[in-house]
Amino acid sequence: MHPRSSRRVLLALAAMVGVACAESSKTTSTTSSTTTACVATATNGAFFDLRPDTAIRAEEGVKTPKGVPTEDYVARGYDYGANFTLNVCNAVVKGVKDVIGVEKSSWKNISAYYETHGKLYSLGSQSGTLVPRGKKLVLQYSGGSPCGDSKGKVKRGGSVHDGAAYRGYRDDDDEEDEKHRSKTSKDDDQKKPGSDKEKEKEKEKEKEKDKDTSVRRKSATISFLCDRDPDVVTAISFVGTDPDECAYFFEARSQHACAGAEPHKPGSVGPGSVFAIIFFIAILVYVVGGVFYQRTVAHARGWRQLPNYSLWSGIWNFLTDIAIILTSSCARFLPSRRGYHTLSSSNGRNRNRDDENRLIDQLDEEWDD
């Protein structure tokens, strides 16, 4: 075969190696891009998994795995006047009812709340989105109970509008909007009579939208810190709240908040698999390229076409000699060999006794004579 053909084959094998590496990197990138609840990967590659800290409901007759929490976390409010109940990345295990300002259908999704004066206030619905910020992890719940009567508009300076002045400002806009709507509605009535019901429904929807966007709701932000002490149980403590009592801040210490290595996901190509693929492809390139070189350049035939034939044959001869030595040394201890030795030794002893007896008899005869 011509040397040019061997070069083409080597280039084709090198291209196969590049394609394999590209496919493996593509697979790992696609699998890492998928998000999992209560799991986060920082920009520096640090992996965080807080799923072991999520409290689950203990079912009757089912054994709960060891180390898995089955009760909600309680944070004492101290000077706030109320204690807080929370869960990590999931709704609270203990069901809640009659939550202020939250629809009944959303009660089962509440992840943080507190109770005061017989009223229960939500601090937000469940969320599994973890945000790594340096050495800390941040988990935020939003969409809780309404907080105060303010409409939530903030000036550029950062302070909340005064209630009365803000309501007056809203009333002026509402009056202008109503005048404009009344004019347009009259024109529409003249053009399209009999559509009053549809217009009323649209007005009610717009009012509900304005009402929903204007109401501020309570939220909870939990900052997780790494604690490598295995004996410390995950605990959440209350830090504080803003003056409007809308944003509540908590701090949690957990060993699961420490950065670790991302585990291998099923269906993806891990680092070990990538190394194995590259290794076997390299061996294939070595063998095929060596065979083509020995055949075309050195004009070798038979087993001598293998690359570094003398080296591999020497290693093979050495291994075969070691195997022969071991088998021969072990064969000495076999039972058949032992029986043969004892038989030969017994025959020798009998022969020596017969010779001795003959010699004694001969001496006796000479003595008698």
Side-chain angles (χ1 to χ4, degrees):
M1 187 176 289
H2 202 271
R4 291 183 179 178
S5 61
S6 62
R7 292 178 183 176
R8 292 176 183 176
V9 173
L10 292 175
L11 292 174
L13 292 173
M16 289 171 60
V17 175
V19 170
C21 296
E23 290 294 331
S24 62
S25 61
K26 186 186 295 183
T27 306
T28 53
S29 62
T30 53
T31 53
S32 60
S33 61
T34 57
T35 57
T36 306
C38 217
V39 171
T41 303
T43 54
N44 59 357
F47 179 75
F48 302 93
D49 188 359
L50 293 181
R51 288 177 292 182
D53 290 334
T54 302
I56 61 174
R57 190 185 302 276
E59 299 180 358
E60 295 182 359
V62 179
K63 187 177 180 180
T64 305
K66 186 179 180 180
V68 177
T70 56
E71 295 181 355
D72 298 319
Y73 298 94
V74 178
R76 297 189 64 181
Y78 295 103
D79 57 340
Y80 185 77
N83 295 330
F84 302 89
T85 304
L86 309 94
N87 197 359
V88 178
C89 298
N90 202 355
V92 292
V93 176
K94 184 180 179 181
V96 293
K97 296 180 180 179
D98 300 330
V99 184
I100 302 298
V102 180
E103 296 181 359
K104 186 176 181 181
S105 58
S106 301
W107 291 353
K108 60 183 179 180
N109 297 325
I110 294 175
S111 294
Y113 70 91
Y114 69 92
E115 187 175 0
T116 179
H117 302 295
K119 296 182 180 180
L120 195 145
Y121 296 88
S122 170
L123 298 182
S125 299
Q126 69 181 28
S127 174
T129 304
L130 294 178
V131 181
R133 287 194 174 94
K135 295 182 179 180
K136 296 183 179 180
L137 282 174
V138 178
L139 176 64
Q140 188 172 19
Y141 300 138
S142 58
S145 300
C147 47
D149 296 332
S150 62
K151 301 298 181 182
K153 291 256 184 170
V154 180
K155 293 181 180 179
R156 292 182 181 179
S159 60
V160 181
H161 278 285
D162 182 73
Y166 180 72
R167 283 194 293 273
Y169 179 73
R170 288 281 298 177
D171 292 338
D172 293 338
D173 291 341
D174 292 340
E175 288 178 359
E176 292 179 0
D177 293 338
E178 287 178 359
K179 288 180 182 180
H180 180 70
R181 289 174 183 173
S182 62
K183 289 180 181 179
T184 54
S185 62
K186 287 180 181 179
D187 295 336
D188 293 337
D189 290 339
Q190 291 176 1
K191 293 179 182 179
K192 296 180 181 180
S195 60
D196 295 337
K197 293 182 179 180
E198 295 180 357
K199 292 177 181 178
E200 289 178 358
K201 290 181 180 179
E202 291 179 358
K203 289 180 181 179
E204 290 178 357
K205 289 180 180 179
E206 290 177 358
K207 288 181 181 179
E208 289 179 358
K209 289 181 181 179
D210 294 337
K211 185 178 179 181
D212 293 336
T213 54
S214 62
V215 174
R216 296 179 64 193
R217 293 188 174 272
K218 296 179 183 290
S219 63
T221 302
I222 307 175
S223 175
F224 290 88
L225 300 177
C226 173
D227 192 343
R228 297 188 181 276
D229 189 356
D231 297 331
V232 175
V233 182
T234 304
I236 301 177
S237 58
F238 174 64
V239 177
T241 181
D242 63 342
D244 295 333
E245 296 185 354
C246 277
Y248 293 78
F249 302 95
F250 300 88
E251 185 179 83
R253 291 186 175 273
S254 172
Q255 59 179 334
H256 302 108
C258 302
E262 185 174 3
H264 176 67
K265 297 179 180 179
S268 63
V269 180
S273 301
V274 174
F275 178 78
I277 292 171
I278 295 175
F279 177 73
F280 285 114
I281 292 178
I283 291 176
L284 182 63
V285 171
Y286 170 74
V287 173
V288 176
V291 168
F292 274 103
Y293 176 81
Q294 294 290 336
R295 186 177 181 83
T296 57
V297 178
H299 302 286
R301 294 295 182 271
W303 289 105
R304 296 187 178 276
Q305 297 181 80
L306 295 175
N308 299 323
Y309 171 76
S310 58
L311 174 64
W312 299 116
S313 62
I315 293 173
W316 175 255
N317 293 331
F318 175 75
L319 294 176
T320 52
D321 292 340
I322 293 294
I324 291 171
I325 292 170
L326 293 175
T327 52
S328 61
S329 60
C330 293
R332 295 177 182 177
F333 302 99
L334 295 176
S336 60
R337 301 286 293 179
R338 286 181 182 177
Y340 178 76
H341 281 297
T342 55
L343 181 61
S344 62
S345 60
S346 62
N347 292 332
R349 290 178 182 178
N350 293 330
R351 288 176 183 175
N352 292 331
R353 289 178 181 177
D354 293 335
D355 294 338
E356 291 175 358
N357 293 331
R358 289 177 183 175
L359 181 60
I360 292 169
D361 293 338
Q362 186 179 358
L363 291 173
D364 290 339
E365 291 175 359
E366 290 179 355
W367 182 260
D368 292 336
D369 296 337

